[in-house]
Amino acid sequence: MYSYFDLLQDIERFKLLGAEVGAVGYSESGLLIPFIRVGEGEKKIIVTGAIHARESLTAKLIVRQIDYALNRRIDGRIYFVPMLNPDGVLLIEKGADYFPQKAEFLKTAGDVYGGFSLWKANINGVDLNTNFDARWGKGAKNTFTPSGENYVGAYPFSQSESRAIRDFTLKIYPDATVSYHAKGREIYWYFYQSESDKKRDFAIAKKLNERLKYTLRKDETDSAGGYKDWCVSALKIPAFTIEIISDEFSHPLSDSALTEEEVERNLHLPLTLLGEI
Ligand SMILES: [Zn+2]
């Protein structure tokens, strides 16, 4: 699997190639959540991945997008945040004992959940993509006890990872955001926005989907508390959740699930988005 340490190595390479590298903030265990900025200009977007622990292949895809963007002239700034949930990714890789302070809780929760290979949450059992202040707690699958997935947390932004990306997003104030998930080959863009924003956002989603050729979702949602949901409702900007990888593959995803074809469909997407805003 693509590990947090693989990402740190890739970041050293990006520094040498001239990208700006920094930290969005820290995870609950105190790990840096890195960002990599490519390009110059007025327009700004943020591209995030691996907010769900078992989806570290999205970080691997974003690293490919960074390499691609570094080789091009870009009119605007792309802030890549490949791995929002490094603790969760490390939990899958190393197990509960890697986090001595949380090991007891994690072992119990892991037993209930059936191990860590399908884990989505952070090391407090909070599903970070339900922890944002956007109809918080009202999603169809939301739950209210710590678990490997779907637990919304005690209150919105109760977790350092969701606070970190909230504060970073408010600081950058992007024109649009992309949240990478896996899997299902779908693109989501709707979260109760106004009619005029709906028109704008659907049009952009259609453009993005010209290369993706995924399933373009309609103006309906049963989710809540996600990063995309919060970007749409709090910042009133276009924000997209993109589920990569065909449903022919099943979780836990092996590295081979990120095919070259999948990468190709997504490589140019941040640049396409910059062109549409
Ligand atoms: Zn996900």
Side-chain angles (χ1 to χ4, degrees):
M1 67 180 284
Y2 188 78
S3 158
Y4 180 64
F5 302 109
D6 295 323
L7 176 62
L8 295 183
Q9 272 192 354
D10 278 320
I11 283 174
E12 288 308 309
R13 197 163 55 76
F14 294 141
K15 273 191 208 166
L16 296 173
L17 292 169
E20 180 196 354
V21 169
V24 167
Y26 294 89
S27 70
E28 283 285 321
S29 83
L31 293 173
L32 276 178
I33 302 171
F35 77 82
I36 302 97
R37 195 210 84 216
V38 183
E40 296 283 354
E42 286 294 305
K43 294 189 279 188
K44 297 160 285 185
I45 63 171
I46 296 177
V47 178
T48 68
I51 195 169
H52 285 143
R54 71 185 188 185
E55 298 166 16
S56 79
L57 279 184
T58 58
K60 197 176 183 184
L61 169 68
I62 291 173
V63 161
R64 292 287 302 273
Q65 288 181 324
I66 297 169
D67 273 311
Y68 179 86
L70 277 167
N71 284 311
R72 275 160 184 83
R73 270 193 72 90
I74 298 169
D75 179 21
R77 284 176 274 166
I78 310 172
Y79 292 86
F80 293 99
V81 187
M83 196 178 285
L84 276 172
N85 183 9
D87 292 354
V89 174
L90 276 165
L91 175 64
I92 293 174
E93 189 187 354
K94 306 275 192 191
D97 286 326
Y98 195 75
F99 302 98
Q101 318 256 324
K102 305 277 177 184
E104 203 179 325
F105 158 73
L106 285 168
K107 279 175 188 168
T108 309
D111 283 346
V112 174
Y113 193 66
F116 297 119
S117 67
L118 301 178
W119 194 267
K120 295 169 76 175
N122 73 353
I123 54 167
N124 293 328
V126 176
D127 189 327
L128 296 170
N129 207 42
T130 66
N131 192 233
F132 291 79
D133 190 9
R135 299 194 177 210
W136 177 84
K138 296 195 171 77
K141 294 179 189 158
N142 287 172
T143 62
F144 298 89
T145 42
S147 169
E149 61 183 321
N150 297 332
Y151 171 50
V152 297
Y155 49 89
F157 299 118
S158 63
Q159 301 301 295
S160 54
E161 295 90 350
S162 45
R163 285 196 301 274
I165 189 64
R166 173 197 64 188
D167 295 347
F168 182 74
T169 304
L170 291 173
K171 192 175 86 181
I172 303 298
Y173 226 93
D175 300 289
T177 66
V178 174
S179 307
Y180 271 111
H181 289 255
K183 60 185 181 53
R185 286 188 162 171
E186 296 177 303
I187 175 164
Y188 293 83
W189 55 273
Y190 176 73
F191 196 72
Y192 309 99
Q193 54 267 67
S194 69
E195 281 303 315
S196 58
D197 284 2
K198 247 172 78 170
K199 238 174 125 179
R200 174 196 68 186
D201 300 352
F202 184 61
I204 299 171
K206 266 202 288 198
K207 264 277 184 259
L208 298 180
N209 204 35
E210 282 176 12
R211 284 182 202 227
L212 288 179
K213 299 182 174 64
Y214 290 170
T215 300
L216 178 55
R217 298 296 297 247
K218 299 265 181 290
D219 54 344
E220 61 197 3
T221 182
D222 60 2
S223 90
Y227 176 61
K228 173 271 259 167
D229 305 337
W230 177 74
C231 288
V232 169
S233 59
L235 281 75
K236 315 276 186 229
I237 58 172
F240 306 94
T241 289
I242 299 177
E243 300 273 2
I244 61 169
I245 299 180
S246 154
D247 274 331
E248 287 164 28
F249 295 92
S250 46
H251 284 293
L253 296 168
S254 65
D255 284 356
S256 58
L258 185 67
T259 62
E260 269 314 295
E261 193 212 339
E262 202 70 37
V263 173
E264 287 291 328
R265 292 191 196 200
N266 284 277
L267 270 184
H268 198 77
L269 186 127
L271 282 69
T272 305
L273 181 55
L274 270 180
E276 293 299 318
I277 52 175

